[in-house]
Amino acid sequence: MARDTGAACRRCRREGIKLFLKGDRCYSDKCSFERRAYAPGQHGQARFKKQSDYAGQLREKQKVKSMYGMLEGQFRQYFKKADQQKGVTGENLLIMLERRLDNAIFRMGFASSRNQARQLVRHKHILVNGKKVNIPSFQISVGDEISIKEKSRANPLINESLDAVERRGVPSWIEIDRAAYKSTIKAMPNREELTMPIQEQLIVELYSK
């Protein structure tokens, strides 16, 4: 599967915001963004005047793509589906992204980053309603029970992530049973709990041109 193999910290610096792509490292003093909070490259520290509307829209799209670890083709398909649904297109898009299995695993605290969550899914450590699912883009639904395979529960990365999840918090639409290494989807994700500064309307404007 195609994926972005570029340096994660450079993406945070390019967007001018922490995207928390490297898990616990992003909360420590080792975070590159804390030391160099400016865009990468020769002219990264230069101060530019006003950014064009198109540039702002493009950067917003790139930021959300990086956040959820997606390439252009896949992201565009999500937008098309969101546009075909009832309701506000931008909110539909974000909710669909939140409903991805890899994102849910990250939100539950079974992984310290979405990238790590994708690896857990692809290597078949994850069960959805008791069945193995190895598709990171699988869309979760209300009532789904997501758990760690019994043989994988001793994995130190999973346990370290569960110990650290309180630092970022768990959304109200997820109920976690730490002792049983499982979580239940109580409701659909909601826009209000997305704490990252995302202006989804800019993405809608970009794709609507």
Side-chain angles (χ1 to χ4, degrees), residues 10-66:
R10 286 177 66 91
R11 279 179 268 165
C12 294
R13 291 171 57 202
R14 182 65 188 87
E15 304 308 334
I17 185 174
K18 275 193 180 186
L19 301 176
F20 299 96
L21 303 177
K22 301 189 75 170
D24 290 340
R25 184 186 179 92
C26 299
Y27 294 93
S28 72
D29 55 6
K30 295 180 180 179
C31 176
S32 295
F33 186 82
E34 293 291 345
R35 292 182 281 115
R36 294 176 291 178
Y38 51 83
Q42 181 179 358
H43 303 291
Q45 298 188 62
R47 291 182 177 275
F48 294 96
K49 294 184 178 181
K50 187 176 180 180
Q51 183 175 250
S52 70
D53 290 343
Y54 175 78
Q57 295 162 359
L58 180 61
R59 292 263 53 90
E60 196 67 22
K61 181 197 69 170
Q62 296 295 85
K63 178 175 74 178
V64 176
K65 278 172 52 183
S66 294

Side-chain angles (χ1 to χ4, degrees), residues 55 79 95 134 157 163 166 176 193 201:
F79 180 83
I95 290 172
N134 64 349
L157 291 177
D163 291 337
E166 292 183 1
I176 297 179
E193 287 192 273
Q201 184 56 35

Side-chain angles (χ1 to χ4, degrees), residues 6-134:
C9 293
R10 286 177 66 91
R11 279 179 268 165
C12 294
R13 291 171 57 202
R14 182 65 188 87
E15 304 308 334
I17 185 174
K18 275 193 180 186
L19 301 176
F20 299 96
L21 303 177
K22 301 189 75 170
D24 290 340
R25 184 186 179 92
C26 299
Y27 294 93
S28 72
D29 55 6
K30 295 180 180 179
C31 176
S32 295
F33 186 82
E34 293 291 345
R35 292 182 281 115
R36 294 176 291 178
Y38 51 83
Q42 181 179 358
H43 303 291
Q45 298 188 62
R47 291 182 177 275
F48 294 96
K49 294 184 178 181
K50 187 176 180 180
Q51 183 175 250
S52 70
D53 290 343
Y54 175 78
Q57 295 162 359
L58 180 61
R59 292 263 53 90
E60 196 67 22
K61 181 197 69 170
Q62 296 295 85
K63 178 175 74 178
V64 176
K65 278 172 52 183
S66 294
M67 191 183 304
Y68 287 94
M70 305 176 72
L71 297 181
E72 179 61 31
Q74 189 179 20
F75 191 81
R76 185 180 290 272
Q77 287 301 315
Y78 272 97
F79 180 83
K80 287 181 179 178
K81 292 178 181 178
D83 195 35
Q84 292 168 357
Q85 295 176 2
K86 294 181 179 179
V88 181
T89 299
E91 291 187 10
N92 291 342
L93 173 64
L94 295 183
I95 290 172
M96 288 177 67
L97 295 175
E98 283 290 296
R99 288 179 60 196
R100 286 175 55 96
L101 179 59
D102 56 358
N103 178 75
I105 296 299
F106 167 67
R107 295 291 192 193
M108 292 168 181
F110 293 149
S112 61
S113 67
R114 291 182 179 89
N115 184 52
Q116 190 181 99
R118 277 190 290 279
Q119 294 302 312
L120 290 177
V121 175
R122 286 172 180 157
H123 292 129
K124 302 181 180 180
H125 295 290
I126 304 299
L127 304 177
V128 178
N129 299 324
K131 297 181 180 180
K132 292 179 184 178
V133 176
N134 64 349

Side-chain angles (χ1 to χ4, degrees), residues 185-203:
I185 306 302
K186 299 192 300 181
M188 282 292 95
N190 61 77
R191 178 65 183 87
E192 289 70 27
E193 287 192 273
L194 290 177
T195 56
M196 292 292 285
I198 298 174
Q199 300 180 65
E200 63 270 23
Q201 184 56 35
L202 294 180
I203 301 174

